[in-house]
Amino acid sequence: MSTFPQQDPSILNDKDPELLRIHSIETFGTHDGPGIRFIVFVQGCQFRCLYCHNPDTFDVKGGKHIQLDEIEKRVLRQRPYFGDEGGITISGGEPLLHRKKLITLFKRLKEQGIHTCLDSNGRLVNKEVEELLEYTDLLMLDVKHINDDWHHKLTTVSNSATLKLAEMREKQGKPMWIRYVLVPGWSDQEEYLHELGQFFKDYKTIEKIEIQPYHKLGVHKWEAMGLKYDLEGVNPPTAEEIEKAKNIFAQYFKEVHVN
């Protein structure tokens, strides 16, 4: 298992309320939510996913600061390109580590009629997160594995908070997408794909599930950071393996999309 020190993430939420610590910004994104998106990748994450393609977001003291006002201004300048579906997506890293600041940002943007989206692994479930979700038009929830033991192997932490966050969202009655990284030998086991489908099959808020085939595009970052990449030798899923997972999920979800 690759090692990287766990850090106190509270500085991301409690310090400098008008400053958001980010990794990067992507304008005109089309793969992180509906329509054209202004995407902010925040810094800091408590998951240690073996396949993470942005391990440089782990460090809560990494990245750079940006004023919330600056993000708001840039989003409003891009609004003419959003159309009926586009808006802002906060990804990461893990957005919920910045929940207080994102409540402030999303409140302001909602007042301007901007569509808001969170791409989250669901690491936290508390009152602040619940408030943030009230200002979130779409939650894209990254479910790494439905089996807790395998989730630990993949991420070093439990999936309990992730599943509780899904339940919180369902109770709110607001839209949610499930995202699932398909890793051969790690998250493609047929019985667990069915188990995931069974867990979510009665959810009314889930609009679709997105299969994200495993890739190796971030391996060079692990090497540059001096971290051991534990999935060396694991290849991306074949077209047949992806189609098999898609057919299983299609038994439980009204829409299955492959990214």
Side-chain angles (χ1 to χ4, degrees), residues 85-130:
E85 293 188 324
I88 185 172
T89 296
I90 308 294
S91 187
E94 174 46 48
L96 299 185
L97 300 182
H98 307 252
R99 53 205 177 276
K100 285 184 182 177
K101 300 175 184 182
L102 294 181
I103 289 170
T104 300
L105 178 64
F106 275 16
K107 277 184 177 179
R108 295 175 185 175
L109 293 175
K110 290 298 295 174
E111 290 173 357
Q112 302 284 344
I114 300 297
H115 183 278
T116 57
C117 174
L118 282 181
D119 179 10
S120 171
N121 60 36
R123 178 61 173 142
L124 297 171
V125 183
N126 58 29
K127 289 295 184 181
E128 291 174 345
V129 169
E130 186 175 18

Side-chain angles (χ1 to χ4, degrees), residues 184-227:
W186 289 82
S187 63
D188 66 342
Q189 306 97 327
E190 184 173 348
E191 67 270 30
Y192 293 127
L193 299 182
H194 280 289
E195 186 176 331
L196 186 147
Q198 287 286 345
F199 184 90
F200 288 113
K201 66 182 177 62
D202 294 325
Y203 275 56
K204 307 301 184 188
T205 59
I206 296 177
E207 296 181 338
K208 66 177 174 178
I209 186 169
E210 292 187 335
I211 298 174
Q212 299 177 305
Y214 163 72
H215 60 71
K216 299 182 178 182
L217 298 180
V219 175
H220 68 284
K221 291 187 178 182
W222 289 77
E223 295 171 347
M225 294 173 65
L227 298 175

Side-chain angles (χ1 to χ4, degrees), residues 8-211:
D8 181 3
S10 62
I11 60 171
L12 299 174
N13 193 54
D14 300 329
K15 188 178 180 181
D16 302 318
E18 287 294 322
L19 290 177
L20 188 67
R21 188 177 287 273
I22 68 168
H23 171 268
S24 57
I25 288 177
E26 178 184 345
T27 57
F28 297 93
T30 57
H31 298 290
D32 293 279
I36 294 174
R37 316 296 300 181
F38 183 94
I39 308 168
V40 180
F41 297 91
V42 294
Q43 189 72 21
C45 187
Q46 294 176 308
F47 278 33
R48 296 291 180 261
C49 299
L50 298 184
Y51 49 72
C52 181
H53 60 278
N54 283 322
D56 45 342
T57 65
F58 290 166
D59 188 358
V60 302
K61 297 180 180 178
K64 58 188 176 182
H65 277 122
I66 186 172
Q67 291 277 351
L68 297 184
D69 284 348
E70 176 62 23
I71 296 176
E72 182 182 3
K73 290 175 184 177
R74 293 181 62 176
V75 171
L76 293 178
R77 284 200 299 267
Q78 191 173 321
R79 177 161 53 182
Y81 301 98
F82 291 158
D84 295 332
E85 293 188 324
I88 185 172
T89 296
I90 308 294
S91 187
E94 174 46 48
L96 299 185
L97 300 182
H98 307 252
R99 53 205 177 276
K100 285 184 182 177
K101 300 175 184 182
L102 294 181
I103 289 170
T104 300
L105 178 64
F106 275 16
K107 277 184 177 179
R108 295 175 185 175
L109 293 175
K110 290 298 295 174
E111 290 173 357
Q112 302 284 344
I114 300 297
H115 183 278
T116 57
C117 174
L118 282 181
D119 179 10
S120 171
N121 60 36
R123 178 61 173 142
L124 297 171
V125 183
N126 58 29
K127 289 295 184 181
E128 291 174 345
V129 169
E130 186 175 18
E131 182 179 0
L132 174 58
L133 291 184
E134 289 291 348
Y135 296 100
T136 301
D137 292 312
L138 173 65
L139 172 65
M140 296 191 298
L141 185 63
D142 300 303
V143 179
K144 310 299 184 180
H145 208 291
I146 193 64
N147 177 271
D148 198 46
D149 289 338
W150 276 101
H151 196 277
H152 270 279
K153 293 175 185 178
L154 277 169
T155 71
T156 75
V157 298
S158 172
N159 67 6
S160 59
T162 303
L163 300 182
K164 287 178 182 177
L165 189 70
E167 293 173 3
M168 175 184 284
R169 187 63 171 180
E170 176 72 2
K171 289 178 181 177
Q172 287 182 330
K174 294 176 178 290
M176 175 167 53
W177 296 358
I178 300 297
R179 305 184 111 185
Y180 191 81
V181 179
L182 192 70
V183 187
W186 289 82
S187 63
D188 66 342
Q189 306 97 327
E190 184 173 348
E191 67 270 30
Y192 293 127
L193 299 182
H194 280 289
E195 186 176 331
L196 186 147
Q198 287 286 345
F199 184 90
F200 288 113
K201 66 182 177 62
D202 294 325
Y203 275 56
K204 307 301 184 188
T205 59
I206 296 177
E207 296 181 338
K208 66 177 174 178
I209 186 169
E210 292 187 335
I211 298 174

Side-chain angles (χ1 to χ4, degrees), residues 238-251:
T238 64
E240 291 77 14
E241 290 169 331
I242 295 172
E243 188 66 19
K244 179 180 178 181
K246 183 177 180 181
N247 289 337
I248 291 174
F249 284 153
Q251 300 175 40

